[in-house]
Amino acid sequence: MIKALSYVVVETPHLEAWMEQAEKHIGLQVEVVEAGRCVRLRADEKFQRLLVTRTEGQASMGMGFELDNAEQLQTIRQRLEEAGYATTEGTAEELALRGVAGMIHFRDPDGVRLEVCHGLADAATPFVPGRPLGGFRTGDMGIGHVALITEHFDELSHLYRNIFGFRVSDHTQAPFRVEFLHCNPRHHTMGLAHTGGPAKIYHLMLEYNDFDDLGRAYDMALEKPESIGVTLGRHINDHTTSFYLKNPDGWMFELGWASRTIGPNWQVEELQGMSLWGHDRTWLPDHKREEARQILKRLAAQGVRAPVVTNSQTAKASQ
Ligand SMILES: [Fe+2]
């Protein structure tokens, strides 16, 4: 029923730093809604893809999922209420800020704000990236994917699969329980992990159309090595080449390229690891980093490789 993750809502005590990173480093377009208080970040022709508001309190991040029309919104609202979630209708001001035709919101079992909407509008002006680049891969696949660490794995998995209508892409039990879920051709739109630690937002993946734009983002991050949460590498499941950039609130952007798409005949897989190479998680304790290195060495010894499949390049070969 949910067709895409269409936008993200952020409340941050670090609005200026968010604007700087979004525009100069990632290459998003910043549109000021109210100076010093609220900005819309654009990644494509849509009205907004991130709505970032200043708060004096704790940083937070919520997600806006889209479905086709008002009837579906009513259906999903009823399903949520039946499952015990208290939903609230978006106000006229909230709809206008987001550029959506209708919206409800509620809290997931970890307290993350979830919005369900329909009718995300196009912007009145063309997308102008914050730095020269070939754009982001969005469209029917939505803004990208989000990975969460949850304290309520079963409840969250139930919410996404049985109420939102996501399907399982793949999963693993070791070193902790992770489930990847899709709702469109993007290999996964959600990743749910139960690590035993407290619930938190792990990352939001944004996908560049062009490999060189990812490489330039990595060059910029190398100037501030402490900003790199996970080094350049390639994921074993969605085949994304990426690195992870810490944002001003401490959770991360995964900046990626050439994510795999999947179709209706997809078979659920048990994963042998998280990455084919690279992706050193600088924030992990030493023994976990070493465990990850051993997995990479095993995959390398087995010669496990994956094709690069993308039709998203905007740069043209010279004639
Ligand atoms: Fe990811």
Side-chain angles (χ1 to χ4, degrees):
M1 180 169 258
I2 294 289
K3 63 178 186 180
L5 170 64
S6 287
Y7 62 89
V8 160
V9 288
V10 170
E11 290 190 331
T12 177
H14 311 108
L15 182 63
E16 285 73 24
W18 261 86
M19 291 166 67
E20 169 85 11
Q21 184 181 60
E23 182 175 61
K24 302 283 190 322
H25 197 153
I26 301 172
L28 297 164
Q29 179 177 354
V30 176
E31 283 187 349
V32 175
V33 179
E34 187 182 336
R37 204 191 78 82
C38 180
V39 297
R40 292 188 191 100
L41 304 181
R42 288 179 56 190
D44 56 16
E45 77 286 359
K46 289 295 176 188
F47 195 73
Q48 50 84 21
R49 289 297 191 175
L50 293 99
L51 182 67
V52 185
T53 309
R54 180 191 297 283
T55 178
E56 302 307 323
Q58 291 269 336
S60 71
M61 181 272 212
M63 286 167 277
F65 293 98
E66 191 171 1
L67 30 68
D68 272 326
N69 53 48
E71 291 72 41
Q72 289 188 356
L73 188 58
Q74 284 318 308
T75 304
I76 213 156
R77 186 172 193 180
Q78 195 174 340
R79 279 198 219 165
L80 286 163
E81 293 280 344
E82 282 167 8
Y85 290 100
T87 64
T88 305
E89 187 120 14
T91 63
E93 186 192 12
E94 286 173 325
L95 301 193
L97 267 176
R98 290 156 178 74
V100 296
M103 185 269 279
I104 61 160
H105 58 92
F106 65 102
R107 297 274 168 183
D108 82 4
D110 294 312
V112 175
R113 180 182 169 107
L114 299 184
E115 303 186 355
V116 184
C117 74
H118 70 94
L120 174 59
D122 286 351
T125 54
F127 170 59
V128 181
R131 64 178 169 93
L133 50 79
F136 295 88
R137 193 175 181 202
T138 55
D140 291 346
M141 302 199 298
I143 181 182
H145 71 235
V146 165
L148 300 174
I149 294 171
T150 176
E151 294 171 47
H152 302 88
F153 189 95
D154 290 319
E155 293 98 315
L156 220 53
S157 177
H158 176 76
L159 169 64
Y160 281 100
R161 287 186 294 109
N162 300 326
I163 300 180
F164 280 2
F166 281 59
R167 290 168 300 282
V168 177
S169 304
D170 47 41
H171 50 74
T172 183
Q173 297 291 333
F176 41 78
R177 191 174 174 194
V178 186
E179 193 167 79
F180 292 94
L181 301 161
H182 63 273
C183 62
N184 59 42
R186 193 181 286 288
H187 171 277
H188 61 272
T189 288
M190 291 302 302
L192 308 176
H194 180 77
T195 62
K200 65 172 190 174
I201 309 297
Y202 179 34
H203 68 263
L204 165 64
M205 195 281 291
L206 300 175
E207 186 179 348
Y208 291 113
N209 284 323
D210 291 276
F211 193 32
D212 296 327
D213 294 330
L214 170 62
R216 287 177 182 143
Y218 199 54
D219 275 353
M220 280 184 260
L222 286 170
E223 290 181 19
K224 286 182 278 181
E226 68 284 358
S227 71
I228 299 174
V230 181
T231 63
L232 193 68
R234 191 159 185 234
H235 279 302
I236 202 167
N237 59 347
D238 66 359
H239 299 171
T240 304
T241 300
S242 61
F243 77 99
Y244 292 50
L245 177 70
K246 291 178 192 164
N247 71 34
D249 295 335
W251 53 277
M252 294 185 283
F253 283 105
E254 178 181 5
L255 300 177
W257 174 73
S259 298
R260 165 203 245 182
T261 58
I262 61 177
N265 297 323
W266 177 256
Q267 302 280 319
V268 177
E269 292 179 343
E270 177 76 25
L271 298 173
Q272 301 176 61
M274 298 304 277
S275 302
L276 291 164
W277 52 268
H279 282 160
D280 184 19
R281 292 163 181 78
T282 59
W283 46 272
L284 275 178
D286 284 348
H287 70 284
K288 284 286 176 193
R289 280 174 91 174
E290 182 52 32
E291 193 179 323
R293 266 183 222 120
Q294 293 307 321
I295 293 172
L296 294 187
K297 284 181 182 168
R298 190 165 71 234
L299 293 168
Q302 292 167 355
V304 177
R305 286 159 295 151
V308 175
V309 179
T310 185
N311 54 9
S312 67
Q313 282 284 107
T314 66
K316 301 278 182 280
S318 55
Q319 302 296 313

